[in-house]
Amino acid sequence: MASSALAVSVAKPAASPTAATAVIPQRRLLPQCRGVRAAPLRLRSGRARGVSVACAAQGQEISFQVPDVTKSTWQSLVVESELPVLVEFWASWCGPCKMIDPVIGKLSKEYEGKLNCYKLNTDENLDIATQFGIRSIPTMMIFKNGEKKDTVIGAVPESTLVSSIDKYIGR
């Protein structure tokens, strides 16, 4: 299927002070689109209101959502997992956490069936973060058979995480 460029008109205010209400239309070329996905926007009440549309631009990948783990799901998802588990300790206000999030999502997809990946919000699950001595975020920990095996601190390159993961999945 061939992808095509998409042109969009953008309104820009006129530079002339006398034409304060005049608008000069401009055309910008957006990146080529590989596909469009749409999802209903949901209100807190659960009712749908509108649609969110996203275009996967050429050369950019759509990030994969990494599921959350909480105090109530920790035992079943991490401790009792038959597969090794990578847990990213993060917080919503953390810039480096936002930088590494797409990397964790990509690894989650690449290692599907060999490794389970989860995110733990340290602000909402302070007791687990304290239990494992989290002092800096993002921190990624690898668990195998319910035991902590490795720790990587900071927004590191993907290759650093891959080398840590590969020690425990037996590639």
Side-chain angles (χ1 to χ4, degrees):
M1 183 168 119
S3 50
S4 59
L6 180 66
V8 67
S9 293
V10 178
K12 181 179 177 184
S16 167
T18 57
T21 57
V23 174
I24 301 169
Q26 293 186 335
R27 289 179 56 88
R28 291 187 189 166
L29 196 60
L30 296 177
Q32 290 185 333
C33 187
R34 291 188 297 173
V36 176
R37 48 172 202 174
L41 291 176
R42 300 255 177 226
L43 299 174
R44 288 185 185 182
S45 65
R47 292 181 30 223
R49 180 178 181 193
V51 175
S52 169
V53 177
C55 174
Q58 185 173 357
Q60 297 177 349
E61 294 185 20
I62 297 173
S63 63
F64 298 96
Q65 290 290 343
V66 177
D68 289 325
V69 63
T70 62
K71 181 180 179 180
S72 62
T73 59
W74 182 265
Q75 183 72 25
S76 63
L77 295 178
V78 178
V79 177
E80 297 171 359
S81 176
E82 293 182 11
L83 295 174
V85 178
L86 173 76
V87 178
E88 175 195 0
F89 292 82
W90 71 286
S92 60
W93 48 264
C94 170
C97 298
K98 292 175 186 174
M99 289 170 44
I100 201 154
D101 192 53
V103 175
I104 302 295
K106 180 180 175 190
L107 293 174
S108 173
K109 189 67 175 168
E110 285 179 16
Y111 287 94
E112 194 170 14
K114 298 176 187 175
L115 176 78
N116 292 329
C117 296
Y118 300 105
K119 293 169 46 170
L120 183 126
N121 187 322
T122 56
D123 289 337
E124 296 172 1
N125 300 279
L126 192 56
D127 47 348
I128 294 176
T130 302
Q131 177 184 347
F132 289 99
I134 304 300
R135 299 172 68 97
S136 179
I137 53 174
T139 293
M140 284 63 61
M141 287 189 177
I142 299 174
F143 294 84
K144 188 170 185 179
N145 300 322
E147 296 178 16
K148 179 178 87 167
K149 296 293 184 181
D150 204 354
T151 302
V152 178
I153 300 172
V156 297
E158 181 180 337
S159 60
T160 303
L161 291 171
V162 167
S163 63
S164 289
I165 292 167
D166 285 349
K167 289 188 255 180
Y168 302 102
I169 65 161
R171 255 193 179 177

